Amino acid sequence: MVQRDFDFLVFIGRFQPYHNGHHAIVTEALRRSSYLVLLLGSAHRPRCTRNPWTFAEREAMVRACLSEADNRRVLVLPVMDATYNDDVWISTVQRCVAGAVAARHTQPHREPRIGLIGHSKDQSSYYLRLFPQWGSVDVPNTGSMSGAELRESIFASDTGEWEDARVSVAANSAALVPAAVLAHLSAFVRTPEFKHLREEFDFVRSYRARWAGAPHEPMFVTVDAVVVQSGHLLLVERNSRPGKGQWALPGGFVDSNETLQAAVLRELKEETRIKVPLPVLAGSIKSQGVFDDPHRSVRGRTITHAFFIQLPPDTALPKVKGDDDAAAAFWVPLAELDPERMFEDHYFIIQRTVGQMT
């Protein structure tokens, strides 16, 4: 019997897409452990240019690169982000690993040997220090292109036609991803999902080009309204890119001549036409918070201030109507929020803000 250093090694990543650097770590993990627990982050999120592929698609990429025998030793599980709450994310990872170990560890008389494997590339790898109860395996950098650069090469073909994109994928990715992943990417650029994301990519590229001559990278300030009444949350459907068609909090950019509170009340009224007087809305503000995840917006560094507005309970919700940048405005029961439909980090803003109600 082969003696390995670990019973289980855990590898956490977004794998957008799965590339040769990831595959080198997976190969090393299978050499050193009986089982590999592969946790795919940013699960249950809508597609965007930073997260183009679903959990199922990413799992398919990984498994297509492994032998039948190795696939039996790999457990692939989705992990949802918990932006602004590391403790919730850590707890989620711990539960996923505990479930995998309980299902596969067959020696109850002996504690399983668990380790975390990865490559400390930059600040995004800080999670490698969050699990002191497990061993650690640091894998050297293979020199492969990063996922961000790969995504850029896939979306940055000269035209939006799938054939041009397919050629771009082959030219820029053939030596950087396993052959099975290259086949997946070549098929992906023929899909309507790629077309939609390519249009998003072009919008963001054009948006950022406006600020190319600035002496410093611009930083934007926005506001969002988290309006709750009788267990319902007020949302809008976005009418413009990025995130067209996704659910979002009413909000927008702060004008140079207004306060944050004035801005959020203005945006709330403009986008939802909510039938509540401004003094009542202002008097119902319970708290506000800053949300500044560096990757929260594909448009660039954007810091938002969310205002929690809790309206008095009533048997009838205020009438709303989408206007301005909103295609529609509507009330959603809090229990029916769907993270796969939510724009940017708005689901996590809601989680954190509404948690202050209790």
Side-chain angles (χ1 to χ4, degrees), residues 141-195:
N141 186 5
T142 63
S144 297
M145 182 185 286
S146 72
E149 292 171 316
L150 269 169
R151 294 190 300 274
E152 179 86 11
S153 72
I154 291 169
F155 290 117
S157 54
D158 292 335
T159 73
E161 298 298 323
W162 78 262
E163 178 63 25
D164 186 62
R166 185 192 65 78
V167 172
S168 176
V169 167
N172 294 295
S173 308
L176 302 165
V177 300
V181 174
L182 182 61
H184 179 98
L185 298 179
S186 297
F188 177 72
V189 297
R190 299 186 180 204
T191 64
E193 289 79 10
F194 169 80
K195 182 177 184 297

Side-chain angles (χ1 to χ4, degrees), residues 53-70:
W53 296 283
T54 66
F55 164 76
E57 290 166 343
R58 288 178 285 159
E59 180 181 15
M61 289 186 206
V62 173
R63 294 204 178 277
C65 300
L66 302 176
S67 68
E68 184 178 345
D70 283 343

Side-chain angles (χ1 to χ4, degrees), residues 3 5 14-16 40 101 116 123 132 146 249 280 297 318 324 355:
Q3 293 295 320
D5 301 330
R14 291 190 303 118
F15 309 104
Q16 295 274 14
L40 274 56
V101 170
L116 191 65
Q123 286 185 337
S146 72
L249 294 167
V280 175
S297 178
D324 194 40

Side-chain angles (χ1 to χ4, degrees), residues 329-350:
F330 48 91
W331 293 94
V332 176
L334 288 170
E336 296 180 12
L337 284 178
D338 182 359
E340 295 191 15
R341 301 195 64 175
M342 295 298 299
F343 178 60
E344 292 186 342
D345 62 345
H346 288 200
Y347 181 79
F348 307 110
I349 292 175
I350 295 164

Side-chain angles (χ1 to χ4, degrees), residues 5 10 17 19 29 39 52 83 91 96 99 162 167 177 184 188-189 212 241 254 272 281 283 298 311 336:
D5 301 330
V10 180
H19 56 62
L39 301 181
T83 311
S91 176
C96 286
W162 78 262
V167 172
V177 300
H184 179 98
F188 177 72
V189 297
R241 298 188 185 281
V254 179
T272 71
L281 291 172
V298 295
L311 298 174
E336 296 180 12

Side-chain angles (χ1 to χ4, degrees), residues 21 24 26 28 68 101 115 128 147 170 176 182 191 210 232 255 281 293-294 323 334:
V26 166
E28 178 67 7
E68 184 178 345
V101 170
L128 293 171
L176 302 165
L182 182 61
T191 64
R210 304 175 202 170
H232 287 68
D255 289 342
L281 291 172
D293 180 73
D323 203 352
L334 288 170

Side-chain angles (χ1 to χ4, degrees), residues 37-56:
V37 182
L38 203 59
L39 301 181
L40 274 56
S42 296
H44 311 301
R45 301 292 305 277
R47 294 184 197 266
C48 66
T49 53
R50 188 167 185 265
N51 292 300
W53 296 283
T54 66
F55 164 76

